[in-house]
Amino acid sequence: MIGSMYSAVSGLSAHQTKMNVIGNNIANVNTYGFKSSRVTFSDVFYQTINSATGPKGDATSGTGGTNATQLGYGAKVNSVDVINTRAGSATTDRALDVYINGDGYLPVKDSDGTIKYTRVGVLSFDDSGNLVDRNGNKVLGFNLDETTKNAILSADGTQAINNLQVINIPAADREKYTGIAIGSNGEITAIKEGDPTFVPATGTGWMDGLPKVDLTSNYKGSITVTANRQVTAGTHSVAVSSDANVGIGAIRIALDGDPAVPTAPTTYTLRTNVGGTEATYTAAYDAAASTVTFNITGGGTVKVNVAGANAITSGATATEIASAVSANQYTITSTVVDKSGATINLPTVTWGGATPATNIAFGQVTVPLDTADFQDALDDGFNNVVIGSVGAGAGVPTKIASIATVKFGNPDGLSQDGESYFIQTPNSGDPIATIPGSGGTGNFRAGALEMSNVDLSREFTEMIITQRGFQANTRMITTSDELLSELVSMKR
């Protein structure tokens, strides 16, 4: 009777373990990629009361054989097996979600360098450009051939797990990719922004060909240019705008009034040589700026500092304050808009002289010039002129990486590691990496995830069976207890 109690206790323990497994299955009925488990029982130990004997004598005399008489002592959990059947897909419409339509696992590397395997393809790119799963573990893929961009594999189409690499998009390239997608064979493709190009504006016939843009350029907008004719200044600071055609020759200024009282009604006269003819302009003193600004016919200005040491002597004689450069030379400033929308002041350049350059650099844009046409354009005035815009060229389809799938000789031998990860064991066999859809692995379906393979109807049925089994074992204990009670009461 004591033995029957111990047998019943072992049955209770075994059924409790099975109920725990059923509870875990039901709890994960909506867990992506979850694989349900089952429990099998076995008997444990037998006491042999009588051993088996063989027949004695011949067919007409002697005794026949007897079977063994054995007494069992309960049940135990024989195994908890993972049911690796493939579940259906749940559509997510997210480009970087991956469903493996067949056998195989995604290999990932955790922060300790341990390689784990999962069927839950919730993938994304982190800030460093690494392709990671939902827990931040890095997804592994194949090295790509530099020329063909195909995965580098051995002759049998596989690759050793240790030869896989972390999939990463360099920081310099990440912003250039759009429309990232994962193909059925694990290839990650995207539309890569084209190399920066320059589109000339109308009225730029002075360009001698298409400008070249540095491949590292972040320009994204119009280039605006202003050219100012240089003059050889004397003691006065002279600023001449680009479209002020003061011509070749001297620039002179005269004062009609008292230089000691510049705020009095005084008139300054500017004389310039235009095409051999001297032109005369008048203007008043600007006390706040200490300058006189002359508006030149045809547009543009000449601004002259006449304060302090630069004061002009009163009288009819004009003072030569500067001389235009003999072979038209210009100071050229320009601005451009970058990808952030900010305006950048590009380096100032000088162009012209006796032998003008045949190209000019506006920052990272080099413009070839027809020097004669460019000179004519400058002579006509070049103030805040938009010469064109810089932007990305046409997008190009590009292969970024190739995700690997891994297959094991005995996937049932993998050890569950939590969070839908599996790890290799001595009984699982070595991992074999291959292209999804080859080598017995399933291809990828993007925009979907694998559902749990828990069958609720089966779990509820097993729950009822387990409950009844547990209940029967409790009855065995209570019945054995009653028998013991009867036995004890015999003394009364």
Side-chain angles (χ1 to χ4, degrees):
M1 286 178 284
I2 297 297
S4 65
M5 280 191 171
Y6 281 117
S7 294
V9 169
S10 69
L12 289 176
S13 177
H15 282 81
Q16 180 60 61
T17 299
K18 183 172 182 178
M19 189 63 78
N20 290 342
V21 171
I22 294 171
N24 183 58
N25 289 342
I26 294 175
N28 288 283
V29 67
N30 288 317
T31 300
Y32 286 126
F34 178 78
K35 301 301 180 184
S36 62
S37 299
R38 72 170 185 188
V39 177
T40 61
F41 297 155
S42 68
D43 44 8
V44 285
F45 175 73
Y46 285 90
Q47 176 186 358
T48 302
I49 299 173
N50 291 311
S51 299
T53 62
K56 296 179 180 179
D58 53 28
T60 60
S61 64
T63 60
T66 59
N67 295 326
T69 302
Q70 293 179 298
L71 180 61
Y73 282 88
K76 70 172 184 178
V77 173
N78 185 51
S79 67
V80 179
D81 306 309
V82 178
I83 308 301
N84 278 307
T85 56
R86 175 163 50 95
S89 64
T91 301
T92 65
D93 293 329
R94 181 177 175 271
L96 295 183
D97 285 345
V98 169
Y99 168 72
I100 303 176
N101 191 22
D103 293 339
Y105 299 85
L106 291 171
V108 299
K109 182 179 288 187
D110 66 11
S111 58
D112 296 328
T114 302
I115 298 178
K116 300 181 178 181
Y117 307 92
T118 182
R119 287 183 62 86
V120 183
V122 180
L123 310 182
S124 61
F125 286 96
D126 65 13
D127 188 56
S128 298
N130 298 311
L131 183 65
V132 297
D133 67 6
R134 67 199 187 287
N135 295 315
N137 293 325
K138 299 173 182 177
V139 180
L140 302 180
F142 300 103
N143 289 293
L144 300 183
D145 184 272
E146 289 294 333
T147 303
T148 64
K149 295 298 181 181
N150 292 328
I152 298 176
L153 303 170
S154 59
D156 62 356
T158 64
Q159 188 59 269
I161 193 72
N162 292 331
N163 289 336
L164 300 181
Q165 67 170 4
V166 172
I167 294 175
N168 176 271
I169 298 179
D173 294 334
R174 284 201 303 275
E175 294 182 357
K176 298 181 179 180
Y177 291 118
T178 58
I180 296 177
I182 300 176
S184 62
N185 62 351
E187 290 184 352
I188 303 177
T189 58
I191 302 300
K192 185 177 182 181
E193 181 181 274
D195 293 335
T197 58
F198 183 88
V199 180
T202 57
T204 53
W206 43 267
M207 293 185 184
D208 190 20
L210 188 65
K212 295 181 179 179
V213 185
D214 191 288
L215 296 180
T216 64
S217 171
N218 286 321
Y219 299 165
K220 189 179 181 181
S222 300
I223 295 181
T224 303
V225 178
T226 293
N228 288 309
R229 177 179 280 114
Q230 290 184 341
V231 295
T232 303
T235 57
H236 301 263
S237 298
V238 180
V240 182
S241 67
S242 64
D243 51 356
N245 190 3
V246 295
I248 305 299
I251 301 174
R252 298 180 176 83
I253 187 170
L255 169 64
D256 179 14
D258 186 356
V261 190
T263 56
T266 56
T267 301
Y268 288 83
T269 303
L270 183 76
R271 298 188 178 95
T272 67
N273 188 322
V274 182
T277 303
E278 190 173 66
T280 302
Y281 305 95
T282 59
Y285 176 71
D286 182 351
S290 301
T291 58
V292 180
T293 301
F294 299 92
N295 294 316
I296 306 302
T297 300
T301 59
V302 173
K303 184 182 291 186
V304 184
N305 187 342
V306 294
N310 294 320
I312 302 299
T313 302
S314 178
T317 303
T319 301
E320 180 175 324
I321 58 171
S323 176
V325 176
S326 60
N328 286 352
Q329 195 158 304
Y330 294 83
T331 299
I332 300 177
T333 58
S334 55
T335 62
V336 70
V337 177
D338 65 12
K339 291 182 178 180
S340 71
T343 299
I344 302 174
N345 293 315
L346 300 177
T348 299
V349 295
T350 300
W351 186 86
T355 307
T358 57
N359 60 66
I360 188 169
F362 298 105
Q364 294 177 308
V365 179
T366 302
V367 180
L369 301 174
D370 182 311
T371 56
D373 289 346
F374 189 51
Q375 179 68 66
D376 291 342
L378 295 179
D379 289 342
D380 291 338
F382 222 84
N383 189 33
N384 290 327
V385 176
V386 176
I387 65 170
S389 61
V390 182
V396 179
T398 304
K399 185 188 298 182
I400 302 174
S402 181
I403 305 174
T405 53
V406 172
K407 189 175 181 181
F408 292 86
N410 177 28
D412 292 340
L414 293 170
S415 175
Q416 292 176 296
D417 197 47
E419 298 191 35
S420 299
Y421 292 120
F422 297 86
I423 56 176
Q424 181 184 356
T425 70
N427 195 40
S428 66
D430 293 328
I432 301 173
T434 187
I435 297 291
S438 65
T441 63
N443 55 22
F444 285 173
R445 177 185 169 193
L449 294 172
E450 184 174 14
M451 296 188 294
S452 169
N453 72 347
V454 173
D455 184 343
L456 278 180
S457 63
R458 180 182 295 277
E459 297 302 324
F460 285 146
T461 301
E462 291 294 326
M463 186 190 302
I464 295 171
I465 294 172
T466 304
Q467 179 189 15
R468 291 305 182 189
F470 189 92
Q471 186 180 43
N473 280 277
T474 61
R475 292 294 184 270
M476 187 70 251
I477 293 175
T478 58
T479 301
S480 296
D481 178 58
E482 290 176 357
L483 291 175
L484 284 172
S485 177
E486 289 294 330
L487 181 62
V488 171
S489 66
M490 286 176 63
K491 182 182 176 183
R492 297 176 186 173

